[in-house]
Amino acid sequence: KKMGFLLTTFLFILVTVVAMFLLGEYAVSQTVDQRYKSYNRKLAYFLVVLAGICMWLMWWSMYMHQMNPMIVPELTEEVAEMLKKQAELSAQIFSTQFKTQSYTIWEQE
Amino acid sequence: MAVSGPTEKIPSLFRSEEMVRVQLFIQRDAAHDTIDELGQLGELEFVDLNKDVNAFQRNFVNDIKRCDEMDRKLRFFGSQLHKCGIDPSPVSDDAVEVDNMDELEVILNLEAHFNELEKDLKQSIFHMEELTRNRNEVIELKHVLEKASIFFEEASHIRSQSFGSPDDIHGDEEIQSPLLHRGDIGGAGPKTVRLGFITGVVAKEKLITFERVVWRATRGNVYMRFADIERPIIDPSQREKVEKSVFIVFFSGERIQNKITKICETFGANRYPFPESQAEHMSMMQRVEQQLADLTKVIERTEEHHEEELRRVAASWNQWRTRVRKEKAIYHTMNMFNYDITKKCLIAEGWCPSVSIDDVQRALRLGTLRSGAQVPTIFNVIHTRDEPPTYFRTNKFTEVFQDIVDSYGIARYQEFNPGPFTIITFPFLFAIMFGDVGHGMLMTLFALFLVLQERKLGRSQLNEMIAICYQGRYCLLLMGLSAIFCGAIYNETFSIPINFFGRTWEFVKGKDEAVFLDTVYPFGVDPTWHGTETELMFMNSLKMKVSVIVGVVQMIVGVVLSALNAVHYKKRLNFWFEFVPQMIFICSIFGYLVIIIITKWAINWEARDQTPPSLINMLIGMFLSPTSIKSEDQIYSGQVMVQNLLVVLAFLSVPAMLLPKPYILKWQYAKRRYLNMDGAEEEEFDFSEVLVHQIIHTIEYVLGCISNTASYLRLWALSLAHAELSTVFWDKIMVMVLKMDSPLSGVYIFVAYSIWGMITIGVLMIMESLSAFLHALRLHWVEFQNKFYMGDGHKFLPFSYAKVLDED
């Protein structure tokens, strides 16, 4: 879990930095008044970093909330039905070697 | 990079630009061209030096009146163009930039030109009307001649029948009506009663009434015949086509003639002479034909000429309009100056960004050069105590977000601008409430359409609703993209989750609860949750925590921005006795809450074999029972001590916010008064007022912290509503129909899909997005900005042709 967390965080930072430079250059290329090139570039950097932080925040909350779950999913009739149907269909489509986790139990009926 | 002014500071969107107050001394001769140059530059805001002068008493009222006259003539030309269906050639993009003042005629010549054109066009129109009227009369005459001759032919036919011998009649004898010769038919001898007749044309719908009135008025002593004209013709005195009939009325006596004439006038029936002899008739017909042909040709020629003139006008119409509006703007501006008639000099005052001083000076030099005046304009920077206007340079992307901030209040001069934050956080908060990949994609597509077509749409006249969407196209684009991202995180695409990475929960036979597979779903929410019993509990807990985290972070950023403002305005007092206590307060309570949330997430409760304690109870317990925590409620060791410390800090920070600042201000005021005992003007210092102000500020802040944090929970509420709505619509409309097994299911699916589509667009896209937009806006305006934003400045409105021409 920790590895996934660090890896994805690192990915976020990487993408943000790359986007920062790309969008900075894009903003500069779109400037009409040449005296304000650095103004636009700096603004683009700020905006991209801010957006990166916001997006990471959302992702991080989701991730951490699911890391040590305090609530467990409980079956309902509809979900049970759906899983059963999925198992049947998958058994028809794939050979028995490919098993996804959720239907192994049903198959053992 | 060139030196850009006395302070060399690069402007940024974070603080409004530095402004200087300038004074210009402009020579009267150079005034017009100088102001023209300044208008093109658009960087100078003029202050009205003649505020208490009535608009009609200002110096250049006459010039403005002349411009208004020219405008009126231009509108007349425009209506003429419109009538003939000619479109004026569109204004080019550089209508503002291009210096076509030299190429076009000087304004006086333009005035004369307009006068001439107006006269010409009016004459043209007048002639056309006359000619058309003539032509219509001739047409009616022609019809009369044709139809009435039929009567007489019939009459002579009957006559020849009744009188037998045809050699009584010669071809060119008088056509005599048999009625005129009662002769053999009966009666007491040949009475040569002179019958007169009237021929004319009357509208068909009035025909019957006309007949009746004439019959009654003449007591039946008339003989009338009518013949319809097949095609409707244009009545000379009106413009429309009317169906008409030719009539001929025979009567005897002069009194009856007068009566009938009056009746004809009343009914708007036009009378035409009818020649009695055959020869006259034929020659008249010929003449009429000739006249008709002539008139038609003349009318055509006149129309052509008229159209040609109008086309020439159309080519320059827009340019002229721009020119006239520019001139009016120049004279309105000149009215704001102080006019020293003896020295022939105008004194102007205004505000200008300090980075544009060079540009303004260049414009002034250009103006002097163009007008050929002897004395150059003098440019002075003066000092004043007035608050300078706030100026943010925005481009088409940042403009809409800056407008959002400005709608709440224009930033005070040089305070920190929440605009750049709004560009990202506003779509972000919107997306938290709207998160759905499918809906986000629809919104992005719509916004992309507006953005990619922006040139074309920018020129055309748009429906008001679409115009609002068009102005906010970049905002919509960002909102859509953020919604796609948040939807990916919530794992909802039109409320359907997508299993990208493999489930992390497994359902075991016999147990209702799933087993956790000890890996975390890498991006977003695990799709296993969808449809389960505990889904709502899970999502609620998640979204509430996210809302609180986002809210507290945004508020802390707001408080930090107030610190930045304090540093910029060099107000130490604000920094130490407002920012620091505020920061301590919010961090010790709500910052602590966020940290506990994160801690609770990070701890493996199963391994600890403890049920995770409720956060709300913890927070309440922190204040109500600070000294002890039950062991099953403890999250980390030492919690009691830490919490006590934080509570004490929070309590201490409240008087720290409240008391020091007013007392220190009072002490400073007393010190200033003591040092300036020679009676220098000092502002009044009312201690009670300052204290009350500070009390209000403190209470607002303290209570606001709590209520605003709770207010951020609307992020949770709205995202829940959105998710539930889309789930319900999908499940109840589409899934129900998809599960059906009837042979007609294709039809049902078709109908259900249309319903689902329309509901999605109407309820979810339009209503929900408006609602989320509004709440995100409120969160920004109230919860974020009341931590630091003063918003009591006024906007920089430079004299700029771009803005003047935009207004129309």
Side-chain angles (χ1 to χ4, degrees):
Chain A
K1 285 189 244 177
K2 266 231 178 87
M3 268 310 294
F5 174 72
L6 287 174
L7 187 66
T8 321
T9 307
F10 177 68
L11 228 74
F12 260 99
I13 296 180
L14 192 68
V15 170
T16 308
V17 169
V18 168
M20 185 169 101
F21 288 114
L22 284 178
L23 285 176
E25 291 316 305
Y26 177 70
V28 166
S29 71
Q30 293 275 316
T31 16
V32 174
D33 189 346
Q34 287 306 303
R35 288 176 300 178
Y36 295 101
K37 279 208 293 222
S38 62
Y39 171 105
N40 282 342
R41 185 188 289 125
K42 289 205 185 108
L43 188 65
Y45 285 173
F46 174 76
L47 292 179
V48 170
V49 168
L50 191 60
I53 294 177
C54 288
M55 292 201 275
W56 176 82
L57 199 71
M58 282 297 286
W59 169 81
W60 176 64
S61 315
M62 301 290 145
Y63 193 88
M64 289 215 68
H65 190 82
Q66 294 181 94
M67 242 166 59
N68 298 306
M70 296 169 251
I71 311 174
V72 255
E74 283 179 33
L75 271 186
T76 56
E77 292 232 349
E78 293 169 350
V79 175
E81 237 183 77
M82 175 198 73
L83 287 173
K84 208 165 165 196
K85 254 214 169 120
Q86 261 189 356
E88 288 168 14
L89 284 173
S90 308
Q92 286 173 21
I93 296 172
F94 300 111
S95 72
T96 47
Q97 258 105 21
F98 295 119
K99 289 180 189 172
T100 58
Q101 300 142 332
S102 57
Y103 69 76
T104 41
I105 326 301
W106 297 104
E107 227 198 27
Q108 287 158 14
E109 260 179 25
Chain B
M1 202 182 58
V3 172
S4 50
T7 50
E8 254 202 77
K9 226 188 334 183
I10 306 169
S12 81
L13 198 56
F14 291 104
R15 279 190 202 281
S16 69
E17 297 199 15
E18 195 178 287
M19 304 294 249
V20 288
R21 177 107 170 191
V22 298
Q23 204 176 38
L24 304 172
F25 292 90
I26 313 178
Q27 185 82 342
R28 172 70 182 91
D29 305 330
H32 178 271
D33 290 325
T34 311
I35 299 177
D36 180 50
E37 286 293 329
L38 287 174
Q40 278 185 18
L41 181 65
E43 291 275 321
L44 195 61
E45 176 184 352
F46 289 106
V47 172
D48 194 354
L49 295 171
N50 301 325
K51 241 191 252 193
D52 27 348
V53 177
N54 187 353
F56 295 106
Q57 292 168 346
R58 298 206 184 192
N59 291 318
F60 297 97
V61 177
N62 291 331
D63 298 280
I64 296 184
K65 279 199 199 146
R66 282 165 62 190
C67 287
D68 272 337
E69 257 298 303
M70 301 214 314
D71 208 17
R72 183 193 62 78
K73 294 198 180 92
L74 275 175
R75 266 178 289 153
F76 168 66
F77 297 154
S79 71
Q80 283 303 309
L81 286 175
H82 186 72
K83 239 191 257 182
C84 289
I86 306 178
D87 274 325
S89 57
V91 58
S92 60
D93 269 339
D94 348 314
V96 177
E97 298 293 328
V98 168
D99 186 9
N100 50 13
M101 292 284 195
D102 295 331
E103 296 166 7
L104 287 186
E105 310 151 58
V106 177
I107 198 70
L108 285 172
N109 292 355
L110 211 57
E111 224 181 333
H113 191 145
F114 283 3
N115 274 338
E116 250 182 66
L117 263 177
E118 195 187 13
K119 240 192 310 179
D120 272 347
L121 284 177
K122 280 206 173 143
Q123 255 190 2
S124 213
I125 295 175
F126 181 67
H127 280 174
M128 282 280 291
E129 283 183 4
E130 284 254 329
L131 287 169
T132 320
R133 196 151 29 97
N134 269 350
R135 182 157 161 259
N136 287 334
E137 283 180 0
V138 167
I139 292 180
E140 282 190 354
L141 179 57
K142 185 167 153 215
H143 280 293
V144 167
L145 288 177
E146 283 173 4
K147 299 288 190 256
S149 68
I150 298 180
F151 298 153
F152 284 99
E153 271 174 29
E154 287 179 359
S156 65
H157 195 61
I158 298 174
R159 180 178 176 247
S160 66
Q161 280 181 347
S162 61
F163 283 119
S165 57
D167 37 16
D168 276 349
I169 310 162
H170 296 282
D172 42 26
E173 247 186 48
E174 263 191 38
I175 301 173
Q176 291 185 352
S177 160
L179 302 167
L180 294 174
H181 295 276
R182 293 279 194 116
D184 304 335
I185 300 179
K191 271 199 244 167
T192 43
V193 179
R194 261 336 267 169
L195 277 185
F197 63 88
I198 289 184
T199 47
V201 173
V202 72
K204 202 180 343 182
E205 42 183 19
K206 299 189 190 161
L207 195 55
I208 301 182
T209 334
F210 180 66
E211 188 182 359
R212 208 176 296 153
V213 171
V214 169
W215 189 258
R216 287 211 197 114
T218 56
R219 283 174 226 167
N221 286 331
V222 289
Y223 176 67
M224 293 197 284
R225 286 290 295 274
F226 304 95
D228 285 336
I229 303 178
E230 297 86 16
R231 280 174 289 123
I233 58 179
I234 306 180
D235 187 289
S237 47
Q238 297 160 359
R239 297 295 170 83
E240 310 162 332
K241 293 203 173 180
V242 183
E243 286 206 350
K244 294 210 173 190
S245 315
V246 176
F247 67 87
I248 178 167
V249 180
F250 291 97
F251 56 86
S252 67
E254 199 165 318
R255 273 215 331 245
I256 297 191
Q257 182 173 17
N258 286 340
K259 270 198 211 156
I260 298 180
T261 314
K262 280 221 191 79
I263 295 175
C264 286
E265 276 172 22
T266 325
F267 275 83
N270 302 322
R271 291 168 294 119
Y272 295 99
F274 190 83
E276 298 201 24
S277 77
Q278 183 80 316
E280 266 183 47
H281 181 255
M282 283 197 8
S283 72
M284 200 171 194
M285 277 294 278
Q286 273 176 359
R287 259 185 301 145
V288 162
E289 294 279 356
Q290 182 72 14
Q291 224 179 345
L292 198 59
D294 283 342
L295 275 175
T296 316
K297 229 188 289 181
V298 171
I299 288 182
E300 262 176 44
R301 286 278 168 71
T302 319
E303 259 182 25
E304 271 174 29
H305 174 76
H306 190 79
E307 224 183 276
E308 236 185 78
E309 281 237 7
L310 282 179
R311 270 189 213 284
R312 255 182 285 139
V313 169
S316 338
W317 188 76
N318 264 319
Q319 275 181 327
W320 286 339
R321 255 186 108 213
T322 315
R323 186 64 203 285
V324 168
R325 273 187 281 167
K326 281 188 188 178
E327 289 291 324
K328 237 203 304 194
I330 293 180
Y331 285 116
H332 273 299
T333 316
M334 279 171 51
N335 267 340
M336 294 201 274
F337 299 167
N338 242 331
Y339 188 21
D340 190 346
I341 301 190
T342 51
K343 302 207 187 96
K344 297 201 96 194
C345 165
L346 292 158
I347 308 177
E349 271 192 35
W351 294 101
C352 151
S354 57
V355 297
S356 309
I357 290 185
D358 277 351
D359 289 332
V360 168
Q361 283 179 321
R362 186 161 35 101
L364 294 177
R365 278 199 298 271
L366 253 156
T368 316
L369 211 70
R370 265 176 50 196
S371 65
Q374 254 63 24
V375 184
T377 314
I378 303 178
F379 178 88
N380 270 343
V381 173
I382 59 180
H383 294 290
T384 170
R385 276 184 170 215
D386 287 345
E387 191 193 339
T390 315
Y391 182 39
F392 292 114
R393 269 178 221 276
T394 53
N395 52 36
K396 64 184 181 185
F397 175 68
T398 53
E399 188 182 347
V400 62
F401 298 103
Q402 191 59 44
D403 277 345
I404 288 179
V405 172
D406 285 347
S407 304
Y408 182 73
I410 310 276
R412 197 185 265 194
Y413 179 60
Q414 292 218 315
E415 76 166 335
F416 200 93
N417 177 25
F421 282 97
T422 311
I423 299 180
I424 295 294
T425 54
F426 178 74
F428 179 61
L429 289 188
F430 172 84
I432 298 185
M433 294 191 262
F434 193 74
D436 187 306
V437 175
H439 302 147
M441 277 202 295
L442 288 177
M443 186 173 263
T444 312
L445 287 174
F446 177 59
L448 265 182
F449 168 70
L450 288 176
V451 167
L452 293 175
Q453 295 282 321
E454 68 183 355
R455 279 193 166 250
K456 200 164 61 154
L457 288 173
R459 294 222 197 102
S460 53
Q461 279 289 74
L462 293 169
N463 172 21
E464 202 179 307
M465 292 282 122
I466 310 279
I468 295 180
C469 290
Y470 171 75
Q471 276 171 8
R473 59 197 184 280
Y474 285 106
C475 191
L476 278 177
L477 183 64
L478 280 188
M479 276 155 56
L481 290 173
S482 316
I484 295 180
F485 179 80
C486 269
I489 293 222
Y490 291 153
N491 211 344
E492 286 198 1
T493 309
F494 294 117
S495 86
I496 308 168
I498 300 183
N499 188 355
F500 264 128
F501 301 102
R503 298 168 187 269
T504 62
W505 294 90
E506 201 176 317
F507 282 108
V508 182
K509 193 170 76 167
K511 279 221 307 208
D512 260 352
E513 295 187 352
V515 173
F516 186 49
L517 293 176
D518 218 31
T519 56
V520 189
Y521 194 76
F523 188 85
V525 169
D526 193 315
T528 318
W529 286 101
H530 186 77
T532 57
E533 196 76 38
T534 44
E535 178 192 11
L536 267 183
M537 254 171 65
F538 173 77
M539 292 301 274
N540 283 353
S541 144
L542 171 64
K543 287 181 182 172
M544 278 202 254
K545 290 177 181 164
V546 167
S547 312
V548 167
I549 292 180
V550 167
V552 171
V553 167
Q554 198 174 29
M555 287 200 290
I556 291 185
V557 168
V559 175
V560 167
L561 290 184
S562 83
L564 289 182
N565 270 345
V567 166
H568 178 85
Y569 286 128
K570 300 206 174 48
K571 292 210 171 139
R572 284 241 190 108
L573 217 56
N574 280 355
F575 186 87
W576 290 111
F577 295 109
E578 268 188 12
F579 163 66
V580 170
Q582 282 179 350
M583 193 68 173
I584 294 180
F585 183 80
I586 197 170
C587 284
S588 61
I589 302 184
F590 296 100
Y592 178 65
L593 178 63
V594 167
I595 295 179
I596 292 294
I597 292 178
I598 299 171
T599 320
K600 198 172 161 197
W601 274 343
I603 297 179
N604 190 340
W605 295 102
E606 266 192 35
R608 263 213 208 176
D609 207 15
Q610 186 185 0
T611 46
S614 150
L615 286 169
I616 304 179
N617 289 345
M618 177 219 86
L619 195 62
I620 296 178
M622 191 164 121
F623 284 94
L624 289 186
S625 57
T627 45
S628 66
I629 295 187
K630 289 193 270 212
S631 60
E632 61 258 23
D633 281 344
Q634 201 174 22
I635 299 180
Y636 58 94
S637 58
Q639 188 170 358
V640 175
M641 269 213 323
V642 172
Q643 285 187 182
N644 283 349
L645 179 64
L646 290 177
V647 168
V648 164
L649 274 179
F651 272 122
L652 281 183
S653 64
V654 175
M657 272 188 252
L658 177 61
L659 295 173
K661 185 170 164 194
Y663 281 104
I664 295 184
L665 279 176
K666 180 175 178 196
W667 175 70
Q668 281 182 345
Y669 173 71
K671 198 164 78 161
R672 274 202 306 261
R673 259 243 301 228
Y674 178 74
L675 291 177
N676 289 344
M677 264 209 300
D678 44 348
E681 354 84 60
E682 241 339 306
E683 291 152 12
E684 288 259 336
F685 184 79
D686 189 0
F687 178 70
S688 56
E689 194 187 311
V690 173
L691 188 61
V692 166
H693 181 87
Q694 198 64 20
I695 292 178
I696 294 177
H697 191 82
T698 307
I699 294 181
E700 199 183 20
Y701 181 78
V702 170
L703 293 181
C705 270
I706 306 172
S707 80
N708 291 349
T709 310
S711 181
Y712 273 97
L713 286 176
R714 75 185 67 218
L715 294 173
W716 157 61
L718 267 114
S719 78
L720 181 67
H722 188 91
E724 284 304 303
L725 273 177
S726 53
T727 310
V728 160
F729 289 145
W730 177 257
D731 280 347
K732 297 296 174 229
I733 298 179
M734 288 302 288
V735 172
M736 204 177 66
V737 162
L738 286 171
K739 278 195 190 159
M740 267 202 246
D741 213 5
S742 89
L744 273 184
S745 61
V747 177
Y748 291 144
I749 291 180
F750 182 77
V751 170
Y753 179 74
S754 337
I755 298 179
W756 178 78
M758 287 195 291
I759 287 192
T760 300
I761 293 186
V763 173
L764 288 172
M765 289 302 296
I766 296 184
M767 188 193 86
E768 270 287 314
S769 69
L770 279 176
S771 157
F773 181 92
L774 180 75
H775 285 285
L777 201 61
R778 176 248 155 72
L779 280 177
H780 271 83
W781 279 353
V782 178
E783 275 78 17
F784 176 50
Q785 287 180 345
N786 75 3
K787 301 281 176 295
F788 68 98
Y789 194 58
M790 292 296 141
D792 53 4
H794 61 276
K795 198 165 177 184
F796 177 65
L797 297 167
F799 173 62
S800 141
Y801 282 153
K803 301 224 168 74
V804 164
L805 294 176
D806 239 357
E807 273 165 21
D808 280 329

